[in-house]
Amino acid sequence: DIQMTQSPSSVSASVGDRVTITCRASQGISSWLAWYQQKPGKAPELLIYAASSLRTGVSSRFSGSGSGTDFTLTISSLQPEDFATYFCQQVFSLPPTFGQGTRLEIK
Amino acid sequence: EVPLVESGGGLVKPGGSLRLSCGASGFSFSNAWMTWVRQAPGKGLEWVGRIKSRSDGGTGDYAVPVRGRFTISRDDSKNTVYLQMNSLKIEDTAVYYCTTYRSCSSTSCSQLPRLHDYMDVWGTGTTVTVS
């Protein structure tokens, strides 16, 4: 299985800050990567697919980049509704695997 | 309208069985590959398995921890996917979500089957407790 490692595991930030979360795959996955946001008690929501494609309806504050083994999710200017947990996921090979999550907290 | 609604969760003893259901609406269910994902309390997301559309073979793929114990099936006439869970273990305790990549239900993803493993529609989840 491909292992996905996110960093940091948690981060504290303020409204208006720029935040970057990284995700590293244990082997190359080209651009077969997605990012999800999950709020407490809710199902995850897809933000970005194909490493950098923004899902329709998702704020342009969110952006993704990377290919191969190293990827980033950037939130350009944090809004109150962005405080949540973020997961990366690879779909390059079965089984699809997720990172352990990054909890974004209000400073 | 909620596209996916799971049901069937509950409390079951180790070694027991449970069948989860997931009803779909608002998209072409028969063309969709349906996936189950679970999340143990306070933990991350774990892919459980998926079933392909009948036109793509209708076969299932499973994560190693559940292979041989869990079976995914579908009834396209009812727009429903099922997760039959047998020989349940304490470590199967989790919220179970059904999910799919809806874009592949309306546009063929046969040239890029990996697209089916993205998840842009999720149910609200159903809780399974093995204790």
Side-chain angles (χ1 to χ4, degrees):
Chain A
D1 296 4
I2 297 176
Q3 285 198 316
M4 307 300 292
T5 304
Q6 289 180 233
S7 61
S9 296
S10 65
V11 57
S12 295
S14 301
V15 172
D17 284 353
R18 179 186 180 93
V19 169
T20 296
I21 298 169
T22 66
C23 179
R24 174 165 289 175
S26 60
Q27 65 186 75
I29 60 170
S30 185
S31 296
W32 292 102
L33 184 104
W35 289 97
Y36 298 85
Q37 177 193 68
Q38 187 179 32
K39 296 182 179 179
K42 302 293 187 181
E45 292 187 3
L46 177 67
L47 300 174
I48 287 170
Y49 62 98
S52 60
S53 295
L54 195 66
R55 179 188 176 187
T56 301
V58 173
S59 170
S60 57
R61 297 194 304 277
F62 294 91
S63 63
S65 65
S67 67
T69 60
D70 295 312
F71 302 87
T72 61
L73 171 71
T74 299
I75 311 172
S76 61
S77 177
L78 279 171
Q79 297 302 301
E81 61 268 27
D82 299 336
F83 292 95
T85 300
Y86 294 84
F87 295 93
C88 62
Q89 177 214 16
Q90 67 81 21
V91 301
F92 180 78
S93 68
L94 282 184
T97 47
F98 295 88
Q100 81 279 14
T102 295
R103 186 174 178 182
L104 177 53
E105 300 173 316
I106 300 174
K107 184 182 288 185
Chain B
E1 185 177 28
V2 180
L4 296 173
V5 179
E6 302 95 337
S7 60
L11 175 64
V12 62
K13 295 183 186 301
S17 297
L18 210 55
R19 188 179 83 156
L20 308 183
S21 301
C22 173
S25 60
F27 62 95
S28 179
F29 179 81
S30 62
N31 292 330
W33 294 21
M34 299 301 297
T35 296
W36 288 93
V37 171
R38 68 184 180 183
Q39 187 169 35
K43 302 297 185 182
L45 301 167
E46 181 184 21
W47 183 85
V48 172
R50 71 176 185 197
I51 186 166
K52 298 178 181 178
S53 62
R54 287 204 178 277
S55 62
D56 288 322
T59 55
D61 297 289
Y62 300 92
V64 167
V66 307
R67 199 171 294 162
R69 300 188 298 124
F70 289 12
T71 302
I72 301 173
S73 61
R74 63 190 299 155
D75 185 339
D76 290 350
S77 69
K78 296 181 178 179
N79 284 3
T80 300
V81 61
Y82 303 98
L83 178 63
Q84 177 67 46
M85 304 184 294
N86 298 330
S87 304
L88 281 161
K89 304 177 181 181
I90 291 175
E91 52 264 38
D92 295 319
T93 294
V95 175
Y96 285 73
Y97 297 100
C98 72
T99 179
T100 189
Y101 191 57
R102 184 165 43 187
S103 297
C104 284
S105 67
S106 57
T107 305
S108 174
C109 292
S110 59
Q111 298 298 317
L112 292 171
R114 289 183 175 113
L115 289 173
H116 285 285
D117 291 318
Y118 289 129
M119 302 164 188
D120 68 348
V121 181
W122 293 71
T124 54
T126 187
T127 300
V128 173
T129 303
V130 185
S131 178

